[in-house]
Amino acid sequence: MANVAALRYSLVCLAAILVVVGVTTQSFKKTMATYLVGVLGIAGVLLPDWAYFDRDFSRWTSPVTAQERSGSTRFRIYPLRTAIYTTVYGLALYKWWIFVSS
């Protein structure tokens, strides 16, 4: 249930950002680009099966056991995942900002 609340909150925040971008730029293309970047960002963080990805990188090729799935669902920070997320989302936000501010 916490994932549903987080998804709902994220989508409401995205809607508010869309209104601000749409009003300030008055550009449908820039508003849709903001929507696309926002939805992909939300999907990348909230939708993955974190019980599967919260394991060590070397174990991603093996199935999740019941014991691993019943463990804590808390988001754990791993250096590889942090580096990938920072690179992908940093590049996406940079390209979005260049597009919206032009």
Side-chain angles (χ1 to χ4, degrees):
M1 195 61 163
N3 285 344
V4 174
L7 179 63
R8 186 177 301 135
Y9 178 74
S10 298
L11 291 175
V12 168
C13 290
L14 178 61
I17 292 169
L18 288 174
V19 169
V20 170
V21 169
V23 169
T24 57
T25 64
Q26 296 182 354
S27 169
F28 183 72
K29 282 184 179 180
K30 292 178 182 181
T31 304
M32 286 298 105
T34 303
Y35 175 75
L36 181 66
V37 169
V39 167
L40 291 176
I42 291 169
V45 173
L46 295 178
L47 294 183
D49 181 13
W50 290 120
Y52 179 81
F53 290 110
D54 273 345
R55 303 180 301 160
D56 187 53
F57 178 71
S58 62
R59 301 203 53 231
W60 283 4
T61 56
S62 61
V64 179
T65 63
Q67 184 182 25
E68 290 172 332
R69 186 157 303 274
S70 66
S72 173
T73 59
R74 212 172 145 196
F75 185 79
R76 294 182 195 95
I77 297 176
Y78 291 109
L80 179 63
R81 179 170 57 196
T82 303
I84 291 171
Y85 267 76
T86 301
T87 303
V88 169
Y89 287 125
L91 182 63
L93 285 175
Y94 173 74
K95 294 286 188 177
W96 169 80
W97 180 253
I98 295 298
F99 179 71
V100 169
S101 63
S102 63

